[in-house]
């Protein structure tokens, strides 16, 4: 195609077509692993995608049957607590860095946020476990500890995404508000945040979706439970990533029922994360500033 285009259309058009083909081919190659993962998870997990899987737990279940209702509820509770703790801290920190932060304190906060962004998730889990072990003993396992670990992972992501969204708000809007005698706090509340709310909401949703699939910190802090526990401050809880992990590494006899439950748990987790990403896109479209 490059040779034919060079003869007929000239070298510039031929080069453009060649680069277009290379970029398209690279995109298709990058899609192969994603499509393979989706196909494998759906084909393996659809067998247990039934009412029993969503309505029952693993309490007293050996072999076939059972479900992940307790793990689904545990995932939603722990992730919700983590979001409730992380979102205010992340948003207020980003507002301080963009609107108020000057000098050594702002530089120190930025440095530590950058460091926290790159820490392994298991380190966050060990930190939360060590923190709660000081107060409750070395054998502590509870959902709130897992929420703290996930919060440590969420905060730097929220700070970075919110900071970038606040920076793209034009300074002319701030200056116009100041010229009318509006205080700075009110300018931030009524002008800056509404202008960037679409990007902030998208960043929040993506941060929640990112930590929802974490396994290592929840293995350390929350553990595993076969029954339903809705109290994050008392005892072990089960989450979808940990449920899928233990179903795979400790399948029991026979192996097939546990492996089917593991694949279905992975499928449900992917669906929840996909729903959150679609919600982020919807929020971004609804709350985006209208240009006309």
């Amino acid at each position: 195609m490059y040779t034919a285009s060079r003869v007929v259309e000239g070298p510039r058009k031929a080069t453009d077509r060649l680069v277009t083909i290379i970029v398209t081919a690279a995109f298709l190659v990058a899609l192969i692993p994603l499509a393979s993962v989706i196909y494998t998870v759906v084909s393996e997990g659809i067998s247990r995608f039934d009412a029993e899987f969503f309505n029952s737990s693993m309490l007293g279940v050996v072999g076939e049957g059972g479900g992940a209702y307790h793990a689904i509820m545990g995932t939603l509770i722990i992730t919700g607590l983590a979001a409730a703790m992380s979102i205010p801290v992340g948003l207020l920190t980003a507002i301080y860095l963009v609107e108020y932060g000057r000098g050594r304190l702002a530089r120190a906060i930025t440095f530590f946020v950058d460091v926290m962004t790159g820490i392994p998730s298991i380190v966050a889990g060990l930190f939360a476990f060590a923190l709660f072990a000081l107060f409750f003993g070395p054998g502590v396992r509870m959902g709130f500890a897992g929420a703290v670990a996930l919060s440590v992972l969420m905060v730097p992501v929220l700070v970075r995404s919110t900071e970038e969204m606040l920076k793209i708000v034009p300074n002319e809007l701030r200056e116009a508000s100041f010229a009318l005698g509006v205080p700075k706090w009110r300018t931030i509340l009524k002008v800056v945040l509404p202008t960037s709310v679409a990007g902030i909401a998208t960043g929040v949703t993506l941060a929640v979706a990112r930590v929802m699939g974490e396994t290592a910190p929840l293995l350390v802090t929350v553990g595993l439970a076969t029954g339903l526990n809705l109290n994050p401050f008392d005892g072990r809880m089960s989450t979808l990533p940990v449920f899928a992990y233990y179903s795979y590494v400790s399948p029991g006899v026979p192996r097939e029922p546990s492996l089917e439950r593991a694949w279905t748990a992975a499928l449900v987790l992917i669906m929840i994360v996909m729903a959150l990403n679609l919600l982020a896109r919807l929020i971004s479209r609804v709350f985006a500033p209208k240009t006309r």
Side-chain angles (χ1 to χ4, degrees):
M1 182 176 290
Y2 172 78
T3 304
S5 177
R6 187 179 180 88
V7 172
V8 176
E9 299 174 313
R12 294 186 61 183
K13 192 68 175 178
T15 303
D16 178 73
R17 289 185 179 277
L18 177 62
V19 174
T20 301
I21 292 173
I22 294 174
V23 171
T24 304
F27 170 72
L28 295 177
V29 170
L31 280 182
I32 292 175
L34 176 61
S36 176
V37 169
I38 294 176
Y39 173 78
T40 303
V41 174
V42 172
S43 61
E44 296 287 346
I46 199 67
S47 60
R48 279 304 318 276
F49 199 81
D50 49 30
E52 183 183 8
F53 187 84
F54 292 94
N55 293 328
S56 60
S57 67
M58 292 300 298
L59 186 63
V61 176
V62 178
E64 297 183 358
Y69 173 70
H70 60 307
I72 296 173
M73 295 303 298
T75 296
L76 296 178
I77 292 172
I78 293 174
T79 307
L81 284 174
M85 290 186 290
S86 304
I87 292 174
V89 175
L91 294 183
L92 294 176
T93 302
I95 291 173
Y96 171 78
L97 291 176
V98 175
E99 303 294 339
Y100 296 97
R102 301 292 184 274
R104 294 182 178 178
L105 180 59
R107 290 195 296 270
I109 293 174
T110 301
F111 172 76
F112 284 113
V113 168
D114 292 338
V115 171
M116 290 177 62
T117 303
I119 64 172
S121 59
I122 187 64
V123 175
L126 292 174
F127 162 75
F129 176 78
L131 177 64
F132 280 81
L134 292 175
F135 299 98
F136 300 98
V140 61
R141 295 290 190 279
M142 65 173 66
F144 186 69
V148 171
L150 296 184
S151 179
V152 173
L153 299 173
M154 280 186 64
V155 167
V157 177
L158 288 171
V159 172
R160 273 284 162 257
S161 61
T162 304
E163 190 178 0
E164 294 303 320
M165 290 301 103
L166 294 177
K167 285 181 179 179
I168 64 176
V169 176
N171 283 328
E172 287 78 5
L173 297 178
R174 298 179 176 88
E175 294 169 357
S177 179
F178 295 152
L180 295 174
V182 180
K184 188 168 187 176
W185 69 269
R186 195 172 183 85
T187 299
I188 297 171
L189 190 63
K190 297 293 186 179
V191 176
V192 177
L193 290 180
T195 304
S196 58
V197 66
I200 293 174
T202 302
V204 169
T205 309
L206 295 180
V208 172
R210 186 258 180 186
V211 301
M212 185 172 287
E214 290 291 346
T215 306
L218 299 181
L219 279 171
V220 177
T221 56
V222 182
L224 179 68
T226 57
L228 179 64
N229 178 18
L230 300 179
N231 186 359
F233 300 97
D234 182 22
R236 297 169 179 260
M237 298 179 70
S238 186
T239 57
L240 281 172
V242 177
F243 175 83
Y245 172 76
Y246 274 111
S247 298
Y248 179 77
V249 299
S250 302
V253 179
R255 294 170 51 88
E256 287 72 20
S258 294
L259 297 180
E260 289 175 355
R261 288 192 292 264
W263 282 112
T264 307
L267 176 60
V268 173
L269 187 61
I270 289 177
M271 292 177 64
I272 294 175
V273 173
M274 185 179 296
L276 289 175
N277 281 271
L278 292 176
L279 177 63
R281 291 182 176 273
L282 178 62
I283 292 174
S284 177
R285 176 170 297 184
V286 170
F287 291 99
K290 305 299 185 292
T291 57
R292 57 181 180 179

